[in-house]
Amino acid sequence: MTATPHRPHDGVFDVAVIGGGIVGAAIARELSGHDVTVALLEARDDVGDGTSKANTAILHTGFDAKPGTLESRLVARGYHLLSAYAKETGIPVEHTGAVLVAWNDEELAALPALREKAEANGYAHCRVVGADEVYDVLPHLGEGALGGLTVPDESIICTWTTNLALATDAQRRGTTILLRHAVTGVDPGDEGGTGAGDGGVTTLRTSAGDVRARWVVNAAGLGADRLDRLFGHDRFTVTPRRGELFVFDKLTRPLVDKIVLPVPTSRGKGVLISPTIYGNVMLGPTAEDLTDRTDTGTSEDGFDFLLTKGERLMPRLLAEEVTASYAGLRAAIDHPDYLIEADPAQRYLLVGGIRSTGLTAGIAIAEHVRTLLEEAGLELPPRGDVPEPPRMPNIGEAAPRPYQDAELIARDPAYGTVVCFCERVTEGEIRDACHAPLPARTPEGLRRRTRAMNGRCQGFFCGAAVAALSAQHQPDDGCGGRPAPCGRPAEHKDNR
C-alpha cells in the first residue's frame, strides 16, 4: 500500500526508513515534517506488527535507566514528548503511578540507590516507603513485602494506537508507506540521481521490488543486525528475548490500580503486575533468550514461571480467569546502550538495540536521528505546510467509547450496534478501521485498531459476525489484491 508523497519525486526517495514499528514510524513522521520525500518500508502487511505490538505498554519516566546513557536522555525527553502527543492525538493514557516492591533485605537496601539513580536521571519524585504504605496503596499484594519505592508518574499507554498514530501522521505528512517490502539485499553502488547529500543512490532489494533512496535509516528491530551487515558492518548481534505474559479478565481490575514493579536486575526489569489501558490486568513478562526470531509462541515453562511469580506477588490474582496469554520478542543486543550511529560515506544510519523503552523514547529517538542525519550531510529544509496530527479513535477504558456516546449514535446508528460484546466494539468502529488511511487488513490488525475479538471469548462468539462485516468494507489493499476478511479468528493469541 502506498500513500501520495507531499511532492513528486524522480523515482528516488530522499530517505528510506526500514521498519514500521514505533521507532521507524516516529522517524518517518519527523523527517516528513521537512521538505524531503520519505518511504517507510515494512516487511509485514501492517505497521506495528512486530516487536512494538507486544510491548508491556508502560509510559516510562526513565527513573531507573543508567544515568549518562543515550537511552536515559532519550527516555526522559520521550516521556514528555509522547505525553503531549498522546493528548494531541487521543492516544489512551492512564496516569496510574507505580510502586517498586522490595521482597527481601537485599532489595530493600537497594531502594535508596534507585531513588538516587532516578534523581541523577532528572526525576526527583520517587520516595522510599515502608511496608505499611506499600499495603495501603496495594492492599491485595502478597504477604512479605518489606518496603517500596514510589514512582508517581509512571503511566500505562496504548502501544497499538501509538504506533498507528505515528504512522498515520507520517502518511499525512507525505511519507510513502510500503508494506510487504522485506529488504533482502542492498546495492549502494548506484551513483545516479541528484538531490540530498552527494547525489548517490542506494538500491534496496525487497520482496516487492526495488526501492531507491539517497539515504537509508535502519530501524528494523529484530532484523537490524542482519540489515547492518548488508551495509558491510559487523558491530552487534540481536538476540531475540521472548517475554510471555498473562492477561486477566476485567473483573480483576479493582485488585490493581497501580503498576507493581520488581527491583530490576541485570537481565531486565523482571515480572510486573500492571493494569492495562483496556481494563484488564497483566502479569509478566518472562525473559528467555532464543535463536528463532519468529518464535512468539507461549510455552509450558513460561506459564509455570508466571504462575509461581504471580502466586508470590498477588495470590488473589491467580484465582481469577486468564483471558489471554501472549509472547513478544525484544531485540536484545550485546551493547549496553542504544546504538544509533550515522555513516555519512554510505548515507546510512543505524538505530539498533532499542529495548522496550523505545515506546516511550520513540519521538525523542526520531529527533536525535534527524540531528545526526543533518550533521552527516542530509539537507532538511523546513516545511510550512505540515498538516495537523490525526485524532485517533479511542480504544481505552478511561474515556467514553462510541457505544456510550448518545450524540454520536444519533448521528450514525452504526456506533450503537455492538458486534463484539466482550469488548463493546461497534459496527461503526469496524467499518472505520477498514476504511482508515492505514486500514485493518488482518484479524490482528483489526484487534489493534478496535479491540474486536480481544475479550473473554477471543472471537468465539463474535468472529463470524466480525468477518462478515469486515468483508463488506474491505477495499483493495493497494498491495496487489484484496486482503483476507479481518474477522477470521487468529491462529494464536497475541493481545492484551
Side-chain angles (χ1 to χ4, degrees):
M1 173 250 175
T2 60
T4 303
H6 72 268
R7 64 178 176 84
H9 60 78
D10 55 1
V12 179
F13 293 98
D14 292 324
V15 186
V17 180
I18 302 171
I22 285 172
V23 172
I27 293 169
R29 169 188 172 271
E30 176 69 29
L31 297 179
S32 57
H34 299 78
D35 193 22
V36 290
T37 52
V38 180
L40 179 63
L41 282 66
E42 169 55 46
R44 300 174 184 246
D45 55 12
D46 196 7
V47 296
D49 195 38
T51 298
S52 292
K53 71 181 178 185
N55 192 287
T56 47
I58 294 177
L59 179 57
H60 289 292
T61 59
F63 78 97
D64 60 346
K66 183 178 180 180
T69 60
L70 180 61
E71 180 179 18
S72 68
R73 175 165 66 85
L74 296 182
V75 172
R77 175 153 177 76
Y79 176 86
H80 298 289
L81 291 174
L82 182 53
S83 295
Y85 189 69
K87 289 181 181 178
E88 197 172 19
T89 59
I91 297 168
V93 175
E94 290 186 43
H95 300 289
T96 60
V99 179
L100 197 97
V101 179
W103 295 96
N104 56 50
D105 290 336
E106 182 180 358
E107 292 176 352
L108 186 65
L111 296 181
L114 286 170
R115 183 190 59 203
E116 292 171 5
K117 177 187 281 189
E119 292 171 352
N121 284 319
Y123 185 75
H125 304 296
C126 290
R127 289 192 306 116
V128 176
V129 298
D132 289 345
E133 188 166 345
V134 170
Y135 284 105
D136 282 344
V137 297
L138 296 168
H140 302 290
L141 203 64
E143 296 180 358
L146 302 181
L149 183 75
T150 63
V151 193
D153 296 303
E154 293 281 287
S155 305
I156 57 175
I157 189 170
C158 181
T159 184
W160 298 339
T161 307
T162 300
N163 206 145
L164 189 62
L166 291 166
T168 302
D169 204 355
Q171 185 188 56
R172 286 164 66 100
R173 292 178 173 201
T175 291
T176 298
I177 297 180
L178 300 171
L179 303 175
R180 304 174 190 165
H181 278 65
V183 177
T184 58
V186 172
D187 179 6
D190 181 2
E191 294 297 322
T194 59
D198 63 8
V201 174
T202 294
T203 299
L204 300 171
R205 312 294 181 188
T206 85
S207 54
D210 292 350
V211 177
R212 302 171 70 224
R214 297 181 178 89
W215 293 79
V216 176
V217 176
N218 173 4
L222 286 165
D225 58 337
R226 293 175 176 174
L227 182 60
D228 199 47
R229 291 187 183 97
L230 292 178
F231 279 88
H233 300 279
D234 188 16
R235 46 187 156 179
F236 72 108
T237 298
V238 168
T239 299
R241 182 166 293 163
R242 181 167 62 185
E244 300 181 49
L245 300 104
F246 285 156
V247 180
F248 290 86
D249 187 78
K250 290 177 173 54
L251 295 174
T252 63
R253 183 59 184 266
L255 299 177
V256 185
D257 63 357
K258 294 188 180 299
I259 305 164
V260 182
L261 297 172
V263 175
T265 69
S266 60
R267 281 190 58 81
K269 297 184 178 181
V271 173
L272 58 85
I273 297 175
S274 175
T276 78
I277 210 75
Y278 319 114
N280 302 88
V281 172
M282 181 174 62
L283 170 68
T286 61
E288 178 187 5
D289 289 346
L290 305 175
T291 56
D292 184 352
R293 302 187 188 207
T294 65
D295 187 358
T296 56
T298 54
S299 68
E300 184 176 351
D301 287 345
F303 283 10
D304 288 344
F305 178 81
L306 290 177
L307 290 171
T308 300
K309 286 288 187 180
E311 184 66 31
R312 171 73 186 276
L313 293 171
M314 190 171 289
R316 279 199 58 184
L317 188 62
L318 269 295
E320 303 293 336
E321 182 177 347
V322 174
T323 297
S325 61
Y326 71 95
L329 297 177
R330 290 160 278 174
I333 70 168
D334 47 353
H335 191 273
D337 198 0
Y338 289 173
L339 187 56
I340 306 177
E341 297 179 356
D343 184 333
Q346 290 186 303
R347 303 173 308 282
Y348 166 68
L349 186 143
L350 166 68
V351 183
I354 309 301
R355 291 169 269 277
S356 61
T357 53
L359 165 59
T360 301
I363 300 177
I365 291 171
E367 282 188 343
H368 183 62
V369 165
R370 182 203 68 213
T371 298
L372 292 180
L373 287 172
E374 287 181 308
E375 292 174 350
L378 173 61
E379 295 181 6
L380 290 169
R383 286 177 58 191
D385 60 343
V386 178
E388 293 295 316
R391 188 71 186 175
M392 304 304 294
N394 171 53
I395 63 171
E397 287 291 285
R401 302 265 307 287
Y403 78 92
Q404 299 168 308
D405 190 332
E407 292 185 5
L408 178 63
I409 294 168
R411 293 195 303 270
D412 187 344
Y415 293 111
T417 304
V418 174
V419 180
C420 171
F421 286 88
C422 295
E423 297 297 303
R424 303 294 193 270
V425 179
T426 67
E427 179 181 323
E429 292 170 277
I430 292 173
R431 176 199 63 202
D432 293 349
C434 292
H435 290 283
L438 290 174
R441 297 175 178 80
T442 65
E444 294 309 311
L446 191 62
R447 287 177 189 261
R448 292 193 294 273
R449 287 163 175 80
T450 68
R451 286 169 47 181
M453 305 178 296
N454 204 48
R456 298 185 73 174
C457 82
Q458 290 291 294
F460 181 83
F461 180 79
C462 66
V466 171
L469 181 60
S470 65
Q472 296 175 21
H473 294 288
Q474 283 296 317
D476 189 291
D477 68 356
C479 297
R482 287 174 66 88
C486 290
R488 282 201 314 263
E491 294 180 0
H492 64 278
K493 298 175 182 177
D494 185 10
N495 54 0
R496 285 180 180 73

